[in-house]
Amino acid sequence: MTIAYLLPVIGSSRWRSHGQGASERRRSGASLFVRASAVEQKPTHGDFSLYNTMTGKKEVFDSTVHEDGVVRFYSCGPTVYDSAHVGNFRAFLTYDVLKRWLRYIGFTVNHVMNLTDVDDKIIKRVLREGSTLEEITKKYSKLFFDDLSLLNVIPADKYPKATEHIDDIVDLIEGLKTRGAAYERSGSTYFKVDSFSDYGKLVKLEKRESGARRTEANDTDEYDKSDARDFALWKAYKDEDGEVKWNSALGVGRPGWHIECSCMAMKYLGPQIDIHGGGIDLVFPHHENEIAQSEAYSGKEFARFWVHNGFVNIGGEKMSKSLGNFRTLGDVVKNPDDARAFRYLVVSSQYRSTLSFTEDVLKAARNTIKRLDALRKRLADVQGEERTLDMESSSEIESIVETAKSSFLAAMNDDLNTPRAVAALFEMMSKVGKLLKAQKLDSAQAKMVDDCILDFDRVLGVFYEVPTVGNVSHEDGTDGTDHVIPDALQELLLQRTEARSSKNFPLADQIRDQIAAEGYQIKDSPAGAVLVKI
């Protein structure tokens, strides 16, 4: 189905009607894997609540503002001047889970993610390497898409590039000038913050220590602005820009960063979108500026929900390229188990909380994936045996599966509470493991459990055939220290978690000591308590 969007017309047919069909990844896989594109839409009951940064609370997301019922979803993409680090991929995985969940509960989603392929960082790299803008951005765009494929991320419906929308950006800026929201100074064009009375509503500037100190970050370029808070929409050409420039009605120069997202979001999704996502570091100034320029142009609320994921920390500090403490996906993922483990680690954490990345938590996630695979293999073996048991056992397994489904649904409907959702999966696994050990599971019941796991995986996305791209090897590649933690110890860990939840601390301590006697220690991780070999 093709959907047309009607936008305000400012002097160009480019801003009239646009449509985009849904894209899907086609990937073959073994019987134990499910394709990312195989996400059938099935209406489910229950209210989905999502935390909205704009209001500072969870709100029910049960409809869209659009008559066709399609959810318009925009998320900020990468600046393609270098390999993205694992902190960046937390955002891309968070919004993959959000999109999967929206589809799971019956929504159709039109997702657009931009590629920033012109900005100061890219220009500096172009000059440093003596390359061209196209060569640099093409190289790192390919690496980005390879990494998305490694992590089983469902592709967006559209990945617009800033350099392919220069004329659209110019039209949008001209429209802002016409509305009195922008002005020209020394060849550059700036957004006039004073013209937008709601400026600061996302970050709640009026509740902070205000003043220029907070707003200085708006635009660090040394241009001649009327107000320190104003930010560049179009930057006049400077010698250090080299060959990166465009001749336009605004003069010779290039677009500012913030206007690129407003332009591409409104061009492909319309003046009002349902969800806008990005990392928490983008709230100010980027998303605040997007709101100002988009709403000043259209006169409508730009986005209903603003969703932001938390940082990834390493060594107690936010992971960032400016601090030099970052790890790229290529540094972390050396084999298929690593790719699936990293995805599991991120998607099983609470997306708004800080995620502490260490080798221990990645190893624990790798062991969890192996345990999941082992259970599914055992279920597949039982299905192949064509074993039949009595009705009483059927009733028991049906109750276990239905309880897991109900808990999973309630958890995901509560602001994508994946830690609780994963706990529902593992509670089911624990009970099923006991039945398997006692040979009290027949073929039909084994299939029922495996179907439930795959149903959950429509959201979690951890069962898939990892493609061979980049430096990922399909050989074992381990150092011999990785191993699957025994089921008996995993069961003890679950019992300890239950004991602590019921405040039976003496029992919890007893179980901890029993686990320690087996050569393991318990460590807290974003996905809950995990076992680490001493």
Side-chain angles (χ1 to χ4, degrees), residues 52-94:
N52 189 350
T53 305
M54 180 64 76
T55 61
K57 62 183 180 181
K58 297 177 188 178
E59 298 179 5
V60 173
F61 187 98
D62 57 3
S63 63
T64 83
V65 296
H66 306 283
E67 291 183 0
D68 59 12
V70 175
V71 175
R72 269 69 162 178
F73 176 28
Y74 184 89
S75 60
C76 289
T79 300
V80 284
Y81 76 103
D82 201 350
S83 296
H85 59 65
V86 297
N88 302 136
F89 280 101
R90 187 183 193 191
F92 307 137
L93 285 169
T94 294

Side-chain angles (χ1 to χ4, degrees), residues 23 48 68 79 83 92 145 181 191 259 274 278 308 371 410 449 456 483 488 502:
S23 62
F48 173 37
D68 59 12
T79 300
S83 296
F92 307 137
F145 287 119
F191 184 85
I259 196 67
D274 294 292
H308 296 94
R371 186 182 174 211
V449 173
F456 293 172
H483 55 277
S502 60

